[in-house]
């Protein structure tokens, strides 16, 4: 599940990635209560991620492998992550036992754990759920040192470029800008495409640049704003892109699909976007597909490699589920190595299990697997705090539209508004 409107950027869902397909014909909202279906088989109601491409097949396989121990039923949620979160929160706040397994955006763990809505995983469950998981992905399922979810899939953005326009992969942001200026002067496609609409994908862009500069938004326990001169530098980069003719004319309304389209139609020479870009381009524009290349995110400061913002989804067990053990078993089946490969090969997000990046089937599905794994090892989450939704909204609204950013003044505005939100004094835009 991604958030970027707040849907595409997190999750991946989600964050992230191509628009998810709503498989209404394949998945049916459960009309059964948590006490079980026909024959007394416990029903495990899954909310979140059930509409992903090919996931109905994985659910069916897990149900077959369960041999009657449980039956997973996938339930549809709204397509946007704000709507998803609203439905989950409403039911959990009412202590509803109609939900068992929750597909959570990677930024929701702290909020749901702090509220007591999801179960902590301990002992053998924690060990099994954590085994082989890339550490940054595992961190997104953790709150205050406790594990509250099973990492299911993950995601990071790459730098995409056209080989015919830039034969050598840029390693620094300055090189990207210099190449874009050269291409513009030659009358060739030159746009540097990014997500900068007022939504979660814009927060991902800001967090990526800030983290790559060595900056942070809040401290480790999310009690104090840590915005400083690095924030001003990050805002300077975004503002320049929006005003120097190198960003897309539609930059201020661009989400992931728009960024993809800007490459597809030959407008963009560079783009920051999720790994789905390559596979999807094969059918969208075969000529661009043959010319498309990728590399890890560029360095935004000398001597400091680029650091990607982490997307993806975690599976958490509702505190009010009547079948927590079966829900855990179901989650581990959905996240099994075989199903991780199957899910990724269907065109969805990359796996969280590090060993799978040696798998030939995964490598065939993701030719960019080396760069994905390299970025995953150094990826950074967005702030882990129960107040993340407030902080995210403040960032995206304060920085919109990007051409209106005044780097020093906007830095001060962010500092004040985010600290007020942390202190419980802020008013959301």
């Amino acid at each position: 599940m991604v958030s970027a409107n707040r849907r595409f950027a997190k999750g991946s869902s989600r964050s992230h990635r191509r628009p998810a397909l709503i498989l209404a014909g394949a998945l049916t909202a459960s009309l059964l209560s948590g006490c079980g279906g026909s024959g007394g088989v416990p029903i495990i109601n899954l909310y979140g991620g059930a509409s992903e491409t090919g996931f109905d097949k994985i659910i069916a396989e897990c149900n077959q492998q369960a041999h009657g121990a449980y039956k997973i039923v996938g339930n549809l949620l709204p397509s946007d992550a704000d709507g998803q979160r609203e439905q989950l929160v409403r039911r959990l706040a009412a202590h509803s036992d109609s939900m068992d397994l929750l597909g959570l955006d990677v930024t929701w763990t702290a909020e749901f754990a702090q509220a007591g809505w999801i179960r902590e995983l301990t002992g053998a469950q924690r060990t099994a759920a954590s085994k082989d998981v890339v550490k940054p992905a595992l961190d997104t399922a953790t709150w205050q040192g406790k594990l509250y979810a099973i990492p299911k899939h993950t995601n990071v953005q790459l730098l995409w470029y056209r080989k015919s326009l830039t034969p050598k992969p840029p390693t620094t942001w300055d090189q990207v800008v210099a190449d874009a200026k050269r291409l513009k002067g030659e009358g060739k496609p030159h746009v540097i495409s990014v997500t900068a609409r007022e939504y979660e994908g814009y927060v991902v862009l800001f967090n990526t640049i800030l983290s790559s500069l060595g900056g942070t938004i809040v401290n480790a326990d999310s009690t104090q704003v840590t915005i400083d001169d690095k924030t001003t530098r990050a805002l300077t980069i975004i503002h320049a892109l929006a005003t120097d003719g190198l960003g897309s004319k539609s930059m201020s309304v661009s989400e992931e699909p728009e960024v993809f389209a800007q490459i597809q139609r030959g407008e963009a020479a560079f783009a920051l976007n999720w790994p789905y870009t390559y596979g999807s381009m094969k059918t969208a524009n075969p000529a661009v597909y043959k010319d498309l290349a990728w590399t890890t995110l560029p360095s935004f400061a000398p001597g400091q490699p680029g650091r990607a913002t982490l997307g993806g989804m975690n599976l958490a067990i509702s505190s009010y589920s009547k079948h927590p053990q079966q829900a855990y078993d179901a989650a581990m089946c959905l996240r099994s190595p075989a199903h991780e490969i199957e899910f990724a090969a269907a065109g969805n997000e990359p796996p969280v299990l590090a060993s799978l990046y040696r798998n030939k089937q995964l490598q065939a599905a993701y030719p960019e697997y080396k760069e994905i794994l390299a970025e995953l090892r150094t990826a950074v989450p967005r702030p882990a705090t129960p107040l993340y939704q407030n902080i995210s909204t403040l960032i995206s609204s304060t920085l919109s539209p990007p051409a209106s950013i005044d780097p020093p003044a906007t830095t001060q505005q962010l500092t004040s508004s985010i600290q007020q939100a942390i202190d419980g004094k802020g008013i959301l835009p």
Side-chain angles (χ1 to χ4, degrees):
M1 192 162 32
V2 184
S3 303
N5 87 323
R6 303 188 177 257
R7 171 175 178 60
F8 294 106
K10 299 181 191 175
S12 143
S13 76
R14 292 146 70 162
S15 187
H16 68 250
R17 46 168 228 175
R18 69 177 177 221
L21 300 177
I22 302 300
L23 306 181
L27 293 166
T28 305
S30 173
L31 298 178
L32 301 170
S33 70
C35 61
S38 59
V41 176
I43 297 298
I44 302 303
N45 280 305
L46 167 67
Y47 282 83
S51 64
E52 298 283 2
T53 305
F55 202 55
D56 55 330
K57 181 173 179 289
I58 292 174
I59 290 175
E61 289 169 355
C62 283
N63 286 340
Q64 184 178 21
Q65 294 168 21
H67 301 294
Y70 58 78
K71 180 181 179 181
I72 306 168
V73 174
N75 294 266
L76 296 178
L77 287 173
S79 60
D80 67 289
D82 277 348
Q84 294 166 14
R85 176 181 166 277
E86 181 181 352
Q87 283 208 17
L88 294 178
V89 167
R90 185 177 299 167
R91 295 190 183 194
L92 291 168
H95 296 189
S96 171
D97 62 6
S98 64
M99 301 187 299
D100 300 285
L101 204 52
L102 313 176
L104 301 185
D105 191 285
V106 292
T107 64
W108 297 348
T109 303
E111 177 187 7
F112 282 54
Q114 188 73 15
W117 293 333
I118 52 179
R119 298 173 67 94
E120 179 189 357
L121 302 179
T122 60
Q125 288 189 350
R126 174 169 183 155
T127 299
S130 305
K131 185 178 179 181
D132 196 32
V133 176
V134 179
K135 187 179 183 303
L138 187 63
D139 289 343
T140 67
T142 305
W143 171 240
Q144 295 183 337
K146 298 178 180 180
L147 186 67
Y148 284 95
I150 300 159
K152 180 186 173 292
H153 60 254
T154 189
N155 222 342
V156 285
Q157 291 186 335
L158 301 172
L159 174 65
W160 300 90
Y161 65 98
R162 299 278 301 277
K163 292 179 289 188
S164 62
L165 301 174
T166 305
K168 293 183 178 180
T171 59
T172 70
W173 184 253
D174 286 344
Q175 289 176 356
V176 173
V177 171
D179 281 347
K181 288 181 177 178
R182 170 182 59 80
L183 292 167
K184 184 178 182 181
E186 295 172 356
K188 297 178 179 178
H190 65 276
V191 163
I192 305 170
S193 188
V194 298
T195 53
R197 179 182 173 268
E198 187 179 335
Y199 83 124
E200 185 62 27
Y202 194 9
V203 182
V204 169
L205 174 68
F206 170 67
N207 191 66
T208 293
I209 297 175
L210 178 61
S211 299
S212 298
L213 292 170
T216 56
I217 297 171
V218 296
N219 61 1
D221 59 3
S222 301
T223 58
Q224 188 69 40
V225 171
T226 53
I227 286 174
D228 55 16
D229 63 307
K230 297 181 183 67
T231 302
T232 305
R233 289 163 58 192
L235 297 180
T236 300
I237 290 171
I238 295 172
H239 179 258
L241 187 59
T243 56
D244 63 8
L246 301 183
S248 170
K249 292 180 181 178
S250 59
M251 177 176 165
S252 64
V253 293
S254 290
E255 300 183 14
E256 283 84 349
E258 286 74 29
V259 170
F260 181 87
Q262 287 156 17
I263 309 175
Q264 176 188 353
R265 61 177 178 251
E267 174 186 345
F270 306 95
L272 298 182
N273 210 351
W274 307 97
Y276 82 86
T277 298
Y278 191 61
S280 296
M281 193 61 70
K282 188 173 185 178
T283 53
N285 190 327
V288 171
Y289 169 77
K290 293 177 182 178
D291 193 36
L292 194 61
W294 63 86
T295 187
T296 52
L297 294 180
S299 168
F300 286 85
Q304 293 182 273
R307 299 189 68 186
T309 295
L310 205 62
M313 190 184 87
N314 303 321
L315 294 172
I317 301 166
S318 168
S319 295
Y320 312 111
S321 169
K322 292 182 178 180
H323 307 289
Q325 180 61 51
Q326 291 92 334
Y328 170 80
D329 293 340
M332 291 300 289
C333 179
L334 296 173
R335 208 284 305 273
S336 71
H339 288 142
E340 285 268 273
I341 293 294
E342 185 176 339
F343 185 73
N348 297 296
E349 282 85 356
V352 296
L353 304 178
S355 63
L356 296 185
Y357 288 83
R358 300 191 294 270
N359 182 280
K360 298 299 183 183
Q361 187 179 355
L362 178 80
Q363 293 175 2
Y366 284 98
E368 62 271 45
Y369 72 93
K370 290 182 180 178
E371 289 79 10
I372 293 173
L373 183 57
E375 287 199 354
L376 282 176
R377 295 195 184 283
T378 61
V380 291
R382 281 151 281 182
T385 168
L387 297 171
Y388 179 75
Q389 290 297 118
N390 292 2
I391 292 174
S392 172
T393 299
L394 287 167
I395 291 172
S396 63
S397 62
T398 302
L399 305 189
S400 295
S404 69
I405 291 173
D406 177 343
T410 306
T411 298
Q412 290 299 318
Q413 186 179 353
L414 278 177
T415 301
S416 174
S417 60
I418 293 176
Q419 189 61 54
Q420 286 180 1
I422 291 173
D423 296 337
K425 302 175 182 177
I427 299 175
L428 290 180

